[in-house]
Amino acid sequence: MTTTPPLLEVENLRVVFDGVLGSVTAVNDVSLSVDRGQTIAVVGESGSGKSVTARTIMGLSTPPGRIAEGSIRLAGRELVGLTDRQWRGVRGSQIAMVFQDPMRSLNPTMKVGTQIEEAIRLHTDLSKKQARARAVELLDAVRIAAPRRRVDEYPHQLSGGMRQRVMIALALSCGPELLIADEPTTALDVTTQQQILDLMGELQADMGMAVMLITHDIGIAASYTDTVFVMYAGQVVESAPTRRLFTDPRMPYTRALLDSIPSLDSPAHEPLPAIEGSPPDLAELSAGCSFSARCPRATQTCLTQRPALIEHEAGRAWACWHPVESKEAS
Ligand SMILES: Nc1ncnc2c1ncn2[C@@H]1O[C@H](COP(=O)(O)OP(=O)(O)O)[C@@H](O)[C@H]1O
Ligand code: SF4
Ligand SMILES: [Mg+2]
């Protein structure tokens, strides 16, 4: 039996920021993979290394950040070590990204249609007229009403939700195989959040692309993704098919995250209430488990030896010496 490689395969990725006061390991031995057409979630508290991981996969890690170790393969091709020019070929055409704040990514002085046209023309040889027609099609695809009128509007003339739709249209303009959405709805109200996530789900199904949805809100991961990767202090600490992660978490941190949401059926995705204590200082990580200071199950072993992320069951991995007992009969 031959197996196709995953679309994206990140292995043992380590990203370090060198500063005058020493180095900070923002991403620490992260491994994750995304299959074609799959939607994964990367979940974790603020500062856990989600955005640095995403930016590194996009080839956007800039000094003082550097890849200290690891591999990023897209459809089997190694991306670590590509030149800037080679990265530009990957970005936008194979991998595209949507950020939390569309106002920071959109040019305020340029009509939204023109911005989409420029992105299209950068990656294709369509004429200006063809690119404009495509821009209208894309605005229509992201369910913007009256797209022919909207192409000639400026970002400030649009609502927050519409601006995020424009960002998605921009990201889709070159038909990426992987869309990375970094907290795409965090700045939006709950109803608009829902609409944008539904839209991404529909587009994902229509276009067959894979999606990496990054969120601090584990509730969002429940409804929209196939597999969840939980990050803590720069590490992936648990990964599992979404349903199993929610019904039977094994890593104590995942358990704490799940305990902190009121109900899985809750329609309102409120920000996570804080788990007691705070994440460790990444500049002073101890040799032990990074969750040990907050973990009710911690033992002496946890304080001195870091547990590796190990696949304990098919498709399920966790990094913990004393996992929570499984609720499922084995
Ligand atoms: N430009 C930077 N310079 C130094 N350290 C950084 C920089 N960007 C990120 N970091 C470090 O990486 C950590 C993870 O950041 P980030 O990936 O943005 O977290 P998240 O997206 O999960 O909230 C931060 O807590 C910080 O310590
Ligand atoms: S390794 Fe120890 S401290 Fe870390 S999560 Fe597991 S039980 Fe808790
Ligand atoms: Mg972030």
Side-chain angles (χ1 to χ4, degrees), residues 193-213:
Q193 252 189 42
Q194 196 86 37
Q195 289 167 352
I196 295 287
L197 290 164
D198 287 344
L199 170 70
M200 285 187 35
E202 289 165 32
L203 293 170
Q204 188 269 337
D206 288 353
M207 305 177 82
M209 66 192 168
V211 176
M212 178 189 286
L213 176 65

Side-chain angles (χ1 to χ4, degrees), residues 24-48:
V24 168
T25 305
V27 174
N28 199 351
D29 200 23
V30 161
S31 296
L32 56 83
S33 72
V34 192
D35 289 326
R36 284 181 191 279
Q38 193 190 24
T39 300
I40 69 152
V42 176
V43 175
E45 284 168 286
S46 172
S48 57

Side-chain angles (χ1 to χ4, degrees), residues 17 24 26 45-53 64 282:
F17 287 90
V24 168
E45 284 168 286
S46 172
S48 57
K50 306 181 299 295
S51 294
V52 173
T53 302
L282 296 177

